[in-house]
Amino acid sequence: MDGNGRWAKKRLLPREAGHVKGVNVVKDVINLTKKYNIDSLTLFAFSTENWARPKNEVLSLLNLFDRSIDDEKDKIESNNIKIRFIGDLASLPTDLQKKIIYIEKKCKKNNGMQLNIAISYGGRSEIVRAVNKFIKNAKAKQSISEELLSKKLDTYGLPEIDLLIRTGGEKRLSNFMLWQLAYSELFFTDALWPDFNESIFINALYFFQTRKRRFGSLMDI
Ligand code: FPP
């Protein structure tokens, strides 16, 4: 969800105003995901690198996550959404960690759309945490495999990623889902996150439909 800061700057507003507008777009995109029958949506809200931003911006983002959980928890539950937070959650303030555990539990019995929020998330950090989890319980000289590593990732049990959408004009992954994006289709748009809307979403879906997915073989799937 890139481009909140630039969106705000263009309007001579503080960067935080872009993040606040970004939350509204998050809600729109969750509704669009449901409308177009997509089973799983992951939002990259805060990266391990974002901790290096000015303290005020970090605090205001953490507050925004906290408030968004308070404001949306009942709606998420009643809309039958399953929710999972991924990332180095232990690095978050304790109050926010508690709210995350609470909302995940509250929505545990739901069986509708899967919503994943990546906070304090980095693809490299996720892989390192996964390897360390493996080492902790590994039998002597047991070596790791793709299957065993996948089981230790934050995304274990979630579907493979079909499509990545990056807003804000940059054409890079910025340490997002490095393992999971191996065969995903990548859609980049210049639109800033606060300007993201249904017509761009549909363009991304059309783009996905035109892809011939071979997963390294010669067969189109
Ligand atoms: C990147 O834009 C955006 C972020 C670091 C924050 C994204 C967070 C939200 C949209 C808030 C809501 C999220 C949830 C799940 C409640 P940027 O700040 O890097 O923008 P720039 O590239 O224009 O500077």
Side-chain angles (χ1 to χ4, degrees), residues 126-144:
E126 182 192 25
I127 293 169
V128 169
R129 282 187 290 105
V131 170
N132 279 325
K133 279 187 232 167
F134 170 80
I135 291 172
K136 229 176 168 180
N137 298 311
K139 298 176 195 94
K141 294 199 176 159
Q142 186 184 11
S143 49
I144 198 157

Side-chain angles (χ1 to χ4, degrees), residues 1-6 15 19 23 45 50 53 65 68 117:
M1 300 187 283
D2 200 10
N4 294 348
R6 278 165 285 164
R15 294 176 59 81
H19 298 315
V23 174
N50 287 154
R53 290 195 175 191
F65 302 141
S68 300
I117 314 271

